[in-house]
Amino acid sequence: MNKHKHQKGRQKQKHQQNQQSDKPVELLITIKRMGINGEGIGYYKRKAVFVQGALPGEEVIVVVTREYPKYIRAEMKRIRTKSKDRVDPPCDVYEACGGCQLQHLRYEKQLAFKRDLILQSLERYVKKEVDPSIIKKTIGMKHPWDYRNKSQLQVGRIRDNVIVGLYGQGSHRLIDITGCLVQHPKTNDVALQMKKIIADLNIPVYQEKKHEGIIRTIVTRLGFETGQIQLVLVTTKESFPKKQLLIKEIQKRLPQVTSLMLNVNNERTSLIYGENTFHLSGEEYIEEKLDEIGFELSARAFFQLNPAQTIKLYNEVKKVAELTGEEKVVDAYCGVGTIGLWLASNAKEVRGMEVIEDAVKDARKNAEKRGVDNVKYYTGTAESWLPKWKKEGFDPDVIIVDPPRTGCDNRFLETVKKIRPKKFIYVSCNPSTLAKDLDALMSKYEIKSIQPVDMFPQTSQVESITLLELK
Ligand code: SAH
């Protein structure tokens, strides 16, 4: 009955819209909360309305951009009542770029929002009730800008100008962001110079539509502590006209680059890297230090993007792991071995696994350099190694995972439930997959604490460390 009534109401509303179909539909919405992409969410006739840039508590006039069966997307036209937490976004291309989603929200509130998103995900995906007080306050930054150690910028051309930047939100327009405020200025300097070099030498830039041209992407990574910089040029071919000249110009104009590499990607893909990486000049890797622990990083290896917050993140893992020196530890999804090395001196044995072979090689070298001999790294998926280790009789006391956004594979989680380590520590960059994976472990484990750490200020990305203990 109710549903029928609702249907009728919906038809009426649609009818009204159709009558004025040439005019955009405007609505007055009160924003109730924020969603996972930092958008404001209000309601219109019980349907959720998503408005990018609107804040909780605000009354906004919006224009409907698209109506779906279950929700509406709308663009903000005017703010009628402004939130006291609204601040002026300092970046000129904030709205067009879309790389940041929270610059208009006071930083303390960004931190509160991130904690809240974890709570929302748990409420949504974990069947068992979770006490909200176990989620701690988000650990933030004093200066939440200039923090990123790596930039990956697409190269394009608009008329006669070379552009180095990112594709705007949901569009194929390249936005110049060589002055990005969340990037370390040294990475911006490299991008800016590269733009000039490519223009001066007239190197053909890659055109997605025609699938032609040479230079696609420039990736810059800086070691904050060491000052070393790696520049990776992603091109469609290994050899191309003026390649030697390009290398010479980079050496001349960017002497701060200590490692210059070339990666070849000739696929029609949104993935940055292709299979093959070549050394052009300088070293083949850069070094970075986190709290005196040194790491060698090769081009393809993952490394956390915010070094200052990474130290806080790893220290938090160390704190909840409470190792005594007797434990066997697994560092799953180990990258260049960072977490395992952070804990090695307090553990009996550490095993890590990772799919990118270069990262595993880096991990081994990093352990060797530190003179750590109780860690072992393996190439392959976490879900294939863990069952193998179990069969061999390896029974870890603590398992730490740090998976990509997609979360852990089911096979992995099932094996964890069979091994039953005393502690399971989940470092997550995605509250939704975190909550789903936690739900899968609830029959055997109890959530003790969740500590959000702000790795990406100004964006809606949420990182956290969850401690689970065997029931
Ligand atoms: N713990 C590391 C890396 C975390 S990022 C650090 O803090 O730096 C996640 C890592 O998981 C990436 O290096 C990625 O290459 C790797 N990875 C992705 N899928 C995987 C899988 N199924 N098994 C093992 N590693 C995987």
Side-chain angles (χ1 to χ4, degrees):
M1 176 72 187
N2 246 344
K3 195 177 163 200
H4 186 64
K5 240 187 178 170
H6 194 61
Q7 282 284 342
K8 253 189 164 172
R10 198 180 283 166
Q11 274 163 12
K12 197 169 154 202
Q13 177 193 333
K14 226 182 181 168
H15 178 66
Q16 280 169 350
Q17 281 175 13
N18 284 345
Q19 274 183 340
Q20 349 166 310
S21 60
D22 45 346
K23 265 200 209 153
V25 180
E26 279 186 19
L27 306 171
L28 173 66
I29 302 289
T30 305
I31 303 298
K32 299 287 183 198
R33 58 189 178 92
M34 281 168 86
I36 50 169
N37 300 309
E39 66 283 65
I41 303 176
Y43 292 89
Y44 179 72
K45 297 191 174 167
R46 291 157 129 215
K47 228 182 196 186
V49 184
F50 291 85
V51 190
Q52 200 68 49
L55 294 175
E58 289 187 330
E59 280 187 318
V60 290
I61 296 172
V62 301
V63 178
V64 173
T65 47
R66 192 130 182 215
E67 184 167 358
Y68 297 88
K70 287 194 176 148
Y71 63 96
I72 294 170
R73 288 216 172 271
E75 240 168 49
M76 193 146 67
K77 195 174 169 202
R78 197 159 60 77
I79 304 175
R80 216 162 86 163
T81 325
K82 200 163 135 178
S83 162
K84 60 178 189 335
D85 299 317
R86 179 173 284 281
V87 292
D88 282 336
C91 173
D92 292 339
V93 292
Y94 173 50
E95 269 142 43
C97 164
C100 294
Q101 301 78 32
L102 302 178
Q103 280 192 20
H104 60 294
L105 178 62
R106 193 181 303 289
Y107 187 57
E108 303 84 79
K109 292 287 169 172
Q110 292 186 19
L111 298 176
F113 158 70
K114 294 190 180 193
R115 178 184 178 276
D116 191 53
L117 266 190
I118 295 176
L119 182 60
Q120 280 184 39
S121 301
L122 296 178
E123 283 171 355
R124 187 156 179 190
Y125 297 112
V126 180
K127 281 168 227 100
K128 214 176 144 229
E129 204 173 319
V130 180
D131 173 6
S133 70
I134 62 162
I135 312 174
K136 301 186 182 159
K137 276 193 178 165
T138 311
I139 299 174
M141 294 186 86
K142 267 210 184 102
H143 175 69
W145 303 97
D146 309 323
Y147 61 80
R148 279 182 67 108
N149 57 8
K150 182 180 180 181
S151 73
Q152 292 186 152
L153 301 176
Q154 306 304 323
V155 184
R157 202 177 265 281
I158 296 181
R159 275 171 246 112
D160 285 340
N161 297 321
V162 172
I163 303 280
V164 170
L166 294 177
Y167 285 105
Q169 214 181 12
S171 86
H172 267 232
R173 210 182 116 219
L174 201 57
I175 313 277
D176 190 303
I177 60 156
T178 44
C180 179
L181 298 176
V182 297
Q183 283 292 153
H184 191 288
K186 284 187 179 168
T187 63
N188 286 333
D189 292 346
V190 173
L192 195 63
Q193 266 306 328
M194 279 309 296
K195 191 164 86 167
K196 290 188 188 138
I197 294 173
I198 294 164
D200 290 351
L201 300 187
N202 206 4
I203 309 272
V205 304
Y206 179 67
Q207 288 173 283
E208 204 183 7
K209 267 191 201 143
K210 297 187 193 157
H211 192 56
E212 62 179 39
I214 299 292
I215 195 150
R216 287 177 85 129
T217 312
I218 52 177
V219 182
T220 310
R221 179 149 65 185
L222 163 74
F224 272 38
E225 278 300 311
T226 61
Q228 296 179 7
I229 296 178
Q230 183 173 64
L231 172 60
V232 186
L233 311 173
V234 183
T235 55
T236 50
K237 295 183 183 130
E238 191 201 341
S239 45
F240 49 88
K242 295 194 236 177
K243 181 177 168 188
Q244 290 312 318
L245 198 58
L246 178 65
I247 297 172
K248 268 206 180 122
E249 278 310 297
I250 293 172
Q251 286 168 338
K252 198 166 92 194
R253 296 199 222 174
L254 288 167
Q256 67 270 45
V257 170
T258 56
S259 165
L260 181 60
M261 307 294 287
L262 183 85
N263 176 274
V264 178
N265 183 357
N266 195 27
E267 303 295 315
R268 284 179 183 274
T269 168
S270 57
L271 294 178
I272 303 273
Y273 286 126
E275 281 301 308
N276 297 311
T277 309
F278 303 91
H279 175 225
L280 296 182
S281 80
E283 300 291 338
E284 293 202 27
Y285 55 85
I286 55 164
E287 285 172 289
E288 172 65 306
K289 258 189 177 169
L290 297 176
D291 249 7
E292 297 312 308
I293 303 191
F295 298 99
E296 268 185 25
L297 311 173
S298 41
R300 294 292 306 279
F302 173 89
F303 190 73
Q304 298 286 350
L305 294 161
N306 182 336
Q309 292 299 89
T310 300
I311 294 174
K312 297 179 194 168
L313 183 85
Y314 293 166
N315 279 340
E316 204 55 41
V317 173
K318 192 175 191 170
K319 193 171 101 190
V320 295
E322 290 182 304
L323 300 178
T324 62
E326 292 304 313
E327 293 84 357
K328 283 176 261 172
V329 178
V330 168
D331 172 13
Y333 312 85
C334 67
V336 296
T338 41
I339 295 177
L341 281 178
W342 212 257
L343 304 179
S345 59
N346 300 312
K348 188 169 167 194
E349 180 186 348
V350 180
R351 286 190 188 186
M353 64 286 227
E354 157 67 46
V355 284
I356 304 277
E357 194 172 0
D358 285 353
V360 174
K361 284 185 192 155
D362 290 348
R364 289 179 188 142
K365 260 198 275 176
N366 291 332
E368 205 180 289
K369 266 195 170 172
R370 257 189 91 65
V372 173
D373 57 8
N374 60 341
V375 298
K376 278 210 181 93
Y377 293 105
Y378 300 79
T379 307
T381 63
E383 55 273 24
S384 62
W385 275 114
L386 198 65
K388 260 185 244 166
W389 293 344
K390 185 185 178 315
K391 257 193 203 152
E392 289 166 13
F394 176 71
D395 51 345
D397 307 285
V398 178
I399 294 183
I400 301 159
V401 297
D402 184 7
R405 291 187 64 75
T406 44
C408 296
D409 188 274
N410 253 340
R411 214 170 117 210
F412 183 87
L413 296 173
E414 287 309 311
T415 314
V416 171
K417 284 197 272 184
K418 284 181 200 147
I419 296 178
R420 300 163 58 92
K422 275 200 309 268
K423 287 188 178 195
F424 183 83
I425 300 168
Y426 196 131
V427 180
S428 155
C429 58
N430 181 346
S432 306
T433 51
L434 166 72
K436 288 177 197 169
D437 290 349
L438 292 182
D439 187 56
L441 294 170
M442 283 299 86
S443 59
K444 297 274 189 305
Y445 284 87
E446 207 174 330
I447 308 176
K448 288 290 177 186
S449 65
I450 302 182
Q451 175 64 67
V453 178
D454 194 15
M455 300 294 280
F456 303 98
Q458 320 305 334
T459 79
S460 53
Q461 302 284 328
V462 183
E463 187 97 13
S464 62
I465 302 134
T466 301
L467 169 66
L468 297 179
E469 279 178 7
L470 198 62
K471 277 185 188 167

